Amino acid sequence: MGIGFLTYVSVELSAHSKASMEAFERAMLASPEVTECHVVTGVTEYSLRVETVDIEAYKRFHAEVLGTLPQVTSISSSVVMNSPKNERV
């Protein structure tokens, strides 16, 4: 598939309104890089699994998708370096 770069991303929104959440979720549904999008408890509202070809492709997604959404106030990325256990495959 050409996917070799995996990042887990935590996203915080500026507003907790239904409209804000729906707009964010629509954007994630339209983004092929986002393979999972979960509403979570804690400091952030969303946890994303983002799969791209490489770090350059992830940087484009970060800047051109997440970075353009007005309701997004915080993005925290965790790059996967290795997966000693992965039952998804």
Side-chain angles (χ1 to χ4, degrees):
M1 288 179 60
I3 304 298
F5 195 78
L6 173 59
T7 310
Y8 287 97
V9 183
S10 297
V11 178
E12 184 177 351
L13 303 184
S14 58
H16 301 111
S17 67
K18 181 177 180 182
S20 179
M21 293 177 74
E22 287 175 345
F24 178 79
E25 290 171 14
R26 276 192 305 275
M28 296 306 96
L29 287 168
S31 300
E33 302 89 349
V34 178
T35 58
E36 295 179 25
C37 176
H38 305 279
V39 178
V40 297
T41 61
V43 176
T44 60
E45 284 75 42
Y46 289 91
S47 179
L48 310 176
R49 179 183 169 101
V50 179
E51 298 183 30
T52 58
V53 174
D54 55 24
I55 193 167
E56 292 303 319
Y58 176 72
K59 285 168 49 178
R60 279 191 301 279
F61 168 77
H62 188 282
E64 297 172 12
V65 177
L66 294 178
T68 63
L69 297 173
Q71 63 272 41
V72 172
T73 58
S74 175
I75 304 166
S76 177
S77 304
S78 297
V79 173
V80 174
M81 295 173 28
N82 188 20
S83 300
K85 179 177 181 178
N86 183 356
E87 295 184 1
R88 293 176 189 271
V89 285

